[in-house]
Amino acid sequence: MPLVTLTQTQISQCKTVAKNRVDIGGEVYFNQDRMTPEYSYQIDMLGAKSELAVSLFLGLPWTGQHGVGLSDVSGFEVRSTQRKDGKQYWLYVRKQDKDAIYIYCVVDDDKVVICGWASAWQVRNNGVLLYKDNDCYGLPRKDLQPMWQLEEVTEFAGRPA
């Protein structure tokens, strides 16, 4: 699994993106609970670090812009979680999530492990229904496609016809 170590300059960029997302985000809910701005910032910081790491690894542009209809990195969606000893890692896709390729990352401070990827269809059809209230399916990290396969796909797609 690829490991990307972010520089202090890149971490600062992620902090700015996370702060902007919190500032324009309005009321944010997670599992019917209103998130505090501090918790929202932590979530957005994990997301920004992961998105930047994926863009660096795949050589694709990342603006950090966030909004309805925008993808995280050049058509890909990025999901992330904080590293924790003994944690089981799952790529989650909810009912309202768009059909796309999702890339899953585990973040530990300035280090981002890019664990793999799966399409929303694969998660919903090969994964496990974890939360019925929002039709949230999960696919364990061990079942994700390796990043080298996605690299081949993006490299092939970028070739001139």
Side-chain angles (χ1 to χ4, degrees):
M1 284 180 263
L3 169 68
V4 175
T5 302
L6 300 173
T7 66
Q8 284 306 310
T9 301
Q10 291 165 333
I11 297 285
S12 293
Q13 181 184 6
C14 292
K15 286 179 181 178
T16 300
V17 166
K19 183 183 178 320
N20 289 342
R21 289 179 181 178
V22 170
D23 289 347
I24 64 171
E27 300 234 349
V28 179
Y29 290 87
F30 185 74
N31 291 340
Q32 275 56 44
D33 295 326
R34 188 180 186 291
M35 292 195 313
T36 64
E38 295 79 17
Y39 186 62
S40 232
Y41 175 80
Q42 288 177 334
I43 298 296
D44 284 324
M45 189 64 175
L46 284 175
K49 287 178 179 180
S50 296
E51 292 166 17
L52 179 55
V54 166
S55 76
L56 293 169
F57 178 74
L58 292 176
L60 297 171
W62 177 68
T63 63
Q65 292 182 353
H66 192 63
V68 176
L70 297 177
S71 65
D72 294 328
V73 178
S74 299
F76 298 114
E77 297 301 313
V78 179
R79 292 285 157 90
S80 56
T81 191
Q82 180 70 47
R83 191 196 73 75
K84 183 177 179 183
D85 289 339
K87 182 176 184 174
Q88 293 186 21
Y89 298 105
W90 295 72
L91 170 60
Y92 298 109
V93 174
R94 298 173 299 265
K95 179 172 128 179
Q96 73 271 19
D97 291 334
K98 60 182 152 185
D99 289 327
I101 289 176
Y102 287 79
I103 300 171
Y104 183 63
C105 299
V106 175
V107 180
D108 190 12
D109 194 29
D110 63 340
K111 299 193 179 355
V112 180
V113 175
I114 305 174
C115 300
W117 63 277
S119 69
W121 184 93
Q122 289 171 313
V123 176
R124 290 179 182 128
N125 288 281
N126 300 332
V128 176
L129 179 61
L130 298 172
Y131 304 103
K132 289 183 181 179
D133 60 335
N134 63 356
D135 286 334
C136 180
Y137 286 83
L139 193 64
R141 176 172 69 175
K142 68 177 183 55
D143 293 342
L144 299 176
Q145 303 294 321
M147 287 306 294
W148 65 264
Q149 289 180 344
L150 189 59
E151 279 184 295
E152 285 183 352
V153 169
T154 57
E155 182 180 321
F156 181 77
R159 290 186 186 151

